[in-house]
């Protein structure tokens, strides 16, 4: 009798899986009627999220961020540059988002992922326009030397909401960033002072006398929502993104001020209430992420 039941259960699972593959939208709509998703999440809930600081030992600042299975590794490396003539007291930030073939079967070896340059531009726009980093904080010697911060983000698993996870990893990496000690040598060149030579005598005082955290102002966080009929699905997975046409990404800073609204493609939003509902979900999400990041920073300081 148990063998028969087992066979029936297996047959039923196969039928459900086949229906899901053949009619994915109808499959989802059956769940949406019950205000739940196939993975068991309520419509407005994001996936489980984790942040780990200091994931890359050789970087000046780094973080590993996971939203569900979507995984981002961010690393910041500092180099000395000559400031631009029009901004002699400012450093620079250069951002690059990478999608190696390991992150998704949709990314083919030897062919750059179409999403990579789009997300690179989005990240650059948001980080620079949000006011998170005062570029004057990266100045060393006015008109002569400043820090160039290279931020590289590697997508290790692309399972939806890529921009949200990439931005979270970027903010976490900058929160972990420590600016090293440098001094001027006899020739007036900037020299990095390592722990080994920290006791050496210099002709001039160190430009910055001790390692310091980069001062950050309000931090930007985002939430992407998929919109289908009257339903709003927070933090869509890759499967949900593949079958739904309309998305809205809301970026708020840690003081809950609006930084950006982005709707890439799909039908227009007929109802203002849908935007308001997405913003409300983002406010809740920002509070969660801010608390999570603060806890990760506290854990690092204790260690």
């Amino acid at each position: 009798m148990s063998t028969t039941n087992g066979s029936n259960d297996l047959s039923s699972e196969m039928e459900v899986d086949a229906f899901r593959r053949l009619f994915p939208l109808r499959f989802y709509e059956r769940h949406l009627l019950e205000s739940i998703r196939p993975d068991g999440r309520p419509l407005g809930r994001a996936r489980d999220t984790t942040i780990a600081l200091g994931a890359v030992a050789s970087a000046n600042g780094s973080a590993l961020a996971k939203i569900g299975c979507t995984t981002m590794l961010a690393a910041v490396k500092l180099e000395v540059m000559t400031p631009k003539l029009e901004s002699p007291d400012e450093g620079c930030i250069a951002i690059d988002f990478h999608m190696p073939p390991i992150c998704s079967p949709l990314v083919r070896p030897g062919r750059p992922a179409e999403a990579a340059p789009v997300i690179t531009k989005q990240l650059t726009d948001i980080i620079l326009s949000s006011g998170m980093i005062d570029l004057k904080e990266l100045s060393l010697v006015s008109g002569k030397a400043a820090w160039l911060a290279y931020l590289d983000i590697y997508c290790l698993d692309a399972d939806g909401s890529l921009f949200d996870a990439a931005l979270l990893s970027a903010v976490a990496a900058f929160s972990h960033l420590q600016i090293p000690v440098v001094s001027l040598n006899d020739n007036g060149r900037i020299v990095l002072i390592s722990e080994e030579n920290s006791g050496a005598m210099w002709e001039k005082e160190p430009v910055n006398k001790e390692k310091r955290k980069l001062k950050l102002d309000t931090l930007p966080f985002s939430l992407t929502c998929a919109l289908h009929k009257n339903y709003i699905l927070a933090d869509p997975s890759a499967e949900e993104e593949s079958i739904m046409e309309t998305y809205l990404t809301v970026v708020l800073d840690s003081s809950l001020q609006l930084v950006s609204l982005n709707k890439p493609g799909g039908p227009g939003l007929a109802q203002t209430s849908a935007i308001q509902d997405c913003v409300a979900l983002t406010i809740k999400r920002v509070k969660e992420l801010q608390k999570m990041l603060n806890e990760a920073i506290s854990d690092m300081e204790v260690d």
Side-chain angles (χ1 to χ4, degrees), residues 169-185:
S169 71
V171 170
F174 277 119
S175 298
H176 176 252
L177 177 66
Q178 283 197 325
I179 297 179
V181 180
V182 294
S183 179
L184 293 173
N185 66 10

Side-chain angles (χ1 to χ4, degrees), residues 171-212:
V171 170
F174 277 119
S175 298
H176 176 252
L177 177 66
Q178 283 197 325
I179 297 179
V181 180
V182 294
S183 179
L184 293 173
N185 66 10
D186 295 343
N187 298 320
R189 297 178 63 87
I190 293 290
V191 177
L192 180 68
I193 301 179
S194 64
E195 293 182 0
E196 289 77 16
N197 65 9
S198 59
M201 296 297 292
W202 299 92
E203 288 292 323
K204 299 183 179 181
E205 285 289 317
V207 177
N208 51 314
K209 298 184 179 182
E210 59 183 12
K211 280 187 178 182
R212 63 179 177 89

Side-chain angles (χ1 to χ4, degrees), residues 113-178:
E114 294 181 3
V118 176
I119 294 178
T120 294
K121 186 178 186 308
Q122 288 177 319
L123 290 169
T124 302
D125 291 344
I126 293 300
I127 289 175
L128 293 180
S129 67
S130 67
M132 177 177 76
I133 299 173
D134 181 356
L135 295 180
K136 288 183 170 60
E137 283 283 303
L138 298 175
S139 177
L140 285 169
V141 180
S142 180
K144 295 183 178 180
W147 290 114
L148 170 58
Y150 287 103
L151 170 63
D152 285 291
I153 302 174
Y154 294 87
C155 179
L156 305 183
D157 194 334
D159 189 28
S161 299
L162 301 188
F163 175 78
D164 297 347
L167 180 60
L168 178 59
S169 71
V171 170
F174 277 119
S175 298
H176 176 252
L177 177 66
Q178 283 197 325

Side-chain angles (χ1 to χ4, degrees), residues 248-260:
L248 181 66
T249 298
V250 181
V251 184
L252 302 178
D253 64 26
S254 48
S255 62
L256 304 182
Q257 297 298 307
L258 180 65
V259 176
S260 171

